[in-house]
Amino acid sequence: MTQHLDPRAPWVISTHDLGRRPGSMRRMNLALPAPADIGVDMIGVPKDADVELDIRLEAVMEGVLVTGTAQAPLRGECARCLEPVISLTEVDFQELFFYSAEDAAESDSLLDGELLDLEPVFRDAVVLTLPLSPVCSEDCTGLCVECGVRLADAEPGHGHEVVDARWAKLQGLIPEHNNDQES
């Protein structure tokens, strides 16, 4: 049983006015709410954020060719210092939605009558461009491995005394001399 698209869903687009006349074309500028769960571990598009779409629908012999650009905000955290990362992504996409399953391969997109769903196309285009390790700036120094302080906020020359583990047990054997007691 095939699942039919809901024509009221924000990412479902009607191709009714194109008809099946190859060469007919329609341009659309849309602002749609971002679907949930578009992202990778450390960065993604916030749910319901405004996604700006500039698309062209073109009827071809096999179906409807959708070409477009999407702009969406990104929110996440820096992989080095865990500070918030806020940016904007712009992705290009192109997808052919076939009229019938007979003409399409298993992984191809199909029209549901006169409706097509742009959400999977948008999702794939965005996720492929996301950095796996986003950074707040290219020169981010990250966190101190000893104490966890953000190195960009630390005092210049921030560091810790490192005792060779082989000598660590000897450290308390010799009492430190106090110059005031020797007088």
Side-chain angles (χ1 to χ4, degrees), residues 41-158:
D41 288 342
M42 299 194 77
I43 195 162
V45 178
K47 182 181 183 318
D48 294 330
D50 283 341
V51 176
E52 301 290 329
L53 289 170
D54 180 15
I55 59 174
R56 183 181 77 201
L57 305 173
E58 187 176 356
V60 295
M61 292 297 284
E62 303 87 359
V64 176
L65 180 65
V66 180
T67 306
T69 301
Q71 283 189 339
L74 294 177
R75 301 275 185 278
E77 58 187 28
C78 178
R80 295 179 189 161
C81 71
L82 304 179
E83 287 293 305
V85 172
I86 298 171
S87 65
L88 187 68
T89 187
E90 183 172 316
V91 294
D92 295 322
F93 55 89
Q94 186 171 49
E95 185 79 13
L96 177 59
F97 290 83
F98 286 87
Y99 291 127
S100 80
E102 296 162 6
D103 298 332
E106 189 176 324
S107 62
D108 288 336
S109 300
L110 291 173
L111 284 165
D112 179 5
E114 297 177 330
L115 302 176
L116 58 85
D117 186 3
L118 277 182
E119 181 183 327
V121 176
F122 169 71
R123 180 181 302 277
D124 290 348
V126 169
V127 170
L128 289 173
T129 64
L130 294 177
L132 294 177
S133 297
V135 291
C136 58
S137 67
E138 288 304 316
D139 60 346
C140 177
T141 51
L143 302 175
C144 174
V145 295
E146 294 292 322
C147 66
V149 71
R150 186 170 178 248
L151 292 174
D153 298 336
E155 297 285 323
H158 175 82

